[in-house]
């Protein structure tokens, strides 16, 4: 599997940051498309009023933002609309082949994309992670982040080097996890303990391998389920587990922990020694998009360093826009440094492409776990 780390991404940024930062923020001549609208279906919490307002000021285009909570919600909605209803969607890169399979997204016209605004390593590595199918590109990588360990600094302090996915499954744990991804985290811990029949990545290569591996993971998860105080499927549920349901540790997105910390709760976020689950996301254009000019205008604007920095400051998710890392807030820098100390960036575990057969069987195991 392709290995990507933040250092590699930043090496790409260093090579081109000077040129990109010389461009004016609004870049009106390059991006302005005149009056119009763009309908964006994106993750809840990704686009705030500041970001949407800055885009409209820069381009004159009115953005309409509809939030969703999961990849499956996005896929199901687009299938129900036969690829229509929206001009841009924001899937994780490993799921893009699912949309291509059902004819829900259209190949991108790379001539209309300011490719030099994207970190070269992100653009190149997204090919193998799912953005390119049969030689055609269907997604522009815009951001990346991780699912790792959120923890209560007072009740359940953790440190890098000893923090582990195993902490979520320990006796007496008060944990919150997501059904399907927690099985992967548990699998990484079992793999490190030498308790899987074959490498975890084999589960993504064939149904037979997936069954052999997931049977072991599921049995362990069911045996340790008593320590789970709440399952989450979206950002609000994950945050609520800490706010009101007594969770002191969880396998969550980086943005979850960041939002709780900004509220003043004693929540930290740390990569486990087995490696944080890393994902890349990006913008794709549905097959039934009605406002193509506006869609490309938003893509190119979102790749400016200023827009990328606004996004990272708001979400603590890392932008792929060249130069954005030089403009982020001190708080965002501190969050990143605390989450990925030492060799954590070298250990990132990037989600491989999840084919439809894998998703179907994965959901079966998730349901069996949740109902056990």
């Amino acid at each position: 599997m392709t290995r990507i780390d933040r250092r590699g991404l930043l090496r790409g940024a260093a090579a081109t940051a000077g040129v990109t930062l010389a461009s004016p923020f609004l870049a009106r001549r390059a991006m302005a498309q005149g009056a119009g609208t763009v309908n964006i279906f994106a993750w809840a919490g990704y686009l705030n009023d500041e970001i949407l307002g800055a885009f409209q000021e820069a381009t004159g285009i009115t953005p309409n933002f509809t939030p969703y909570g999961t990849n499956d919600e996005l896929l199901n909605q687009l299938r129900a609309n036969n690829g229509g209803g929206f001009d841009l969607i924001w899937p994780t890169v490993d799921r893009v082949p699912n949309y291509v399979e059902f004819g829900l997204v259209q190949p991108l016209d790379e001539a209309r994309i300011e490719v030099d605004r994207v970190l070269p390593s992100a653009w190149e590595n997204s090919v193998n992670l799912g953005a390119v199918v049969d030689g055609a590109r269907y997604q522009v990588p815009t951001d990346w982040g991780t699912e790792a360990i959120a923890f209560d600094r007072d009740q359940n302090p953790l440190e890098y080097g000893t923090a582990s996915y195993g902490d979520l499954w320990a006796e007496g744990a008060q944990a919150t996890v997501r059904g399907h991804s927690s099985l992967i985290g548990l699998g990484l811990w079992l793999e490190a303990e030498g308790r899987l029949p074959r490498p975890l990545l084999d589960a993504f290569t064939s149904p037979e391998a997936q069954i052999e591996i997931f049977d072991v993971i599921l049995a362990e998860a069911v045996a340790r389920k008593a320590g789970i105080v709440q399952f989450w499927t979206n950002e609000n549920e994950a945050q609520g587990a800490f706010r009101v349901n007594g969770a002191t540790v969880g396998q969550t997105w980086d943005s979850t922990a960041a939002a709780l910390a900004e509220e003043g709760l004693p929540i930290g976020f740390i990569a486990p020694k087995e490696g944080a689950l890393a994902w890349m996301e990006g913008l794709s254009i549905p097959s039934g998009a009605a406002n193509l000019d506006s869609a490309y205008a938003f893509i190119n604007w979102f790749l400016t360093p200023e827009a990328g920095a606004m996004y990272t400051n708001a979400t603590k998710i890392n932008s792929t826009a060249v130069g954005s890392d030089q403009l982020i807030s001190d708080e965002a820098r501190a969050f990143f440094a605390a989450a990925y100390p030492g060799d954590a960036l070298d250990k990132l575990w990037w989600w491989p492409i999840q084919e439809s057969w894998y998703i179907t069987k994965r959901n079966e195991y998730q349901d069996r776990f949740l109902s056990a």
Side-chain angles (χ1 to χ4, degrees):
M1 182 177 65
T2 301
R3 302 292 293 186
I4 315 171
D5 60 33
R6 170 73 171 205
R7 296 185 181 98
L9 290 171
L10 292 184
R11 280 195 295 271
T16 50
V19 174
T20 304
L21 286 172
S23 302
F25 173 35
L26 298 183
R28 294 183 185 277
R29 286 182 298 174
M31 290 185 293
Q33 301 293 325
T37 61
V38 61
N39 299 307
I40 308 168
F41 199 26
W43 293 90
Y46 273 28
L47 298 176
N48 59 22
D49 290 343
E50 178 189 12
I51 295 172
L52 295 172
F55 168 72
Q56 185 166 0
E57 180 184 356
T59 65
I61 298 169
T62 301
N64 300 313
F65 167 45
T66 302
Y68 59 81
T70 70
N71 270 301
D72 290 337
E73 181 184 343
L74 166 59
L75 180 61
N76 292 338
Q77 181 65 50
L78 215 61
R79 291 187 69 180
N81 292 344
N82 294 315
F86 301 99
D87 304 308
L88 287 168
I89 59 172
W90 214 309
T92 53
V93 68
D94 51 277
R95 298 295 298 275
V96 170
N98 303 150
Y99 295 83
V100 177
E101 177 183 357
F102 294 113
L104 301 175
V105 291
Q106 58 183 273
L108 296 174
D109 182 354
E110 295 186 31
R112 302 187 68 177
I113 300 168
E114 300 286 349
V115 176
D116 62 349
R117 295 180 179 176
V118 185
L119 294 176
S121 56
W123 183 265
E124 294 160 7
N125 285 294
S126 66
V127 172
N128 295 325
L129 293 175
V132 174
V133 180
D134 294 332
R137 177 171 286 275
Y138 291 88
Q139 186 182 69
V140 176
T142 56
D143 58 282
W144 70 276
T146 67
E147 185 176 324
I149 301 180
F151 62 97
D152 188 306
R153 297 180 186 277
D154 298 333
Q155 300 183 64
N156 196 357
L158 297 176
E159 295 183 358
Y160 183 69
T162 56
S164 166
Y165 290 113
D167 293 323
L168 299 159
W169 306 93
E171 184 175 355
Q174 295 174 283
T176 182
V177 299
R178 183 170 56 160
H180 74 84
S181 57
S182 68
L183 296 179
I184 295 298
L186 178 57
L188 285 171
W189 177 54
L190 294 176
E191 183 176 43
E193 296 285 311
R195 297 171 57 191
L196 288 187
R198 55 198 296 177
L200 180 60
L201 283 175
D202 285 0
F204 297 84
T205 62
S206 73
E208 295 76 20
Q210 184 183 17
I211 291 171
E212 183 180 358
I213 293 168
F214 270 66
D215 279 350
V216 175
I217 296 173
L218 178 63
E220 193 73 27
V222 170
R224 296 173 177 270
K225 188 179 178 183
I228 308 300
V229 298
Q230 181 189 314
F231 289 97
W232 63 269
T233 60
N234 58 49
E235 186 78 89
N236 288 336
E237 291 174 357
Q239 292 177 20
F242 285 92
R243 288 195 195 102
V244 298
N245 289 333
T248 64
V249 66
Q251 184 177 315
T252 75
W253 293 319
D254 39 15
S255 54
T256 300
L260 292 170
E262 287 182 354
E263 292 178 12
L265 296 178
I267 303 299
F269 187 75
I270 196 74
K273 60 185 180 181
E274 298 89 359
L277 304 182
W279 42 262
M280 186 181 292
E281 294 175 331
L283 290 164
S284 298
I285 300 179
S287 54
N291 302 293
L292 284 179
D293 288 346
S294 297
Y296 281 105
F298 185 87
I299 290 172
N300 288 325
W301 176 83
F302 197 74
L303 293 172
T304 62
E306 290 83 358
M310 272 195 289
Y311 173 76
T312 296
N313 290 340
T315 64
K316 303 304 184 290
I317 298 171
N318 310 292
S319 171
T320 64
V322 171
S324 63
D325 62 299
Q326 300 180 36
L327 303 178
I328 61 175
S329 66
D330 292 340
E331 291 78 10
R333 292 181 195 277
F335 180 85
F336 186 90
Y340 312 107
D343 60 352
L345 296 175
D346 298 322
K347 291 183 175 181
L348 294 177
W349 192 91
W350 288 87
W351 281 99
I353 293 173
Q354 300 182 56
E355 303 284 359
S356 293
W357 60 261
Y358 172 86
I359 296 296
T360 298
K361 184 61 67 175
R362 178 204 79 177
N363 289 342
E364 290 178 12
Y365 277 97
Q366 172 183 258
D367 293 344
R368 289 165 61 187
F369 175 37
L370 296 179
S371 63

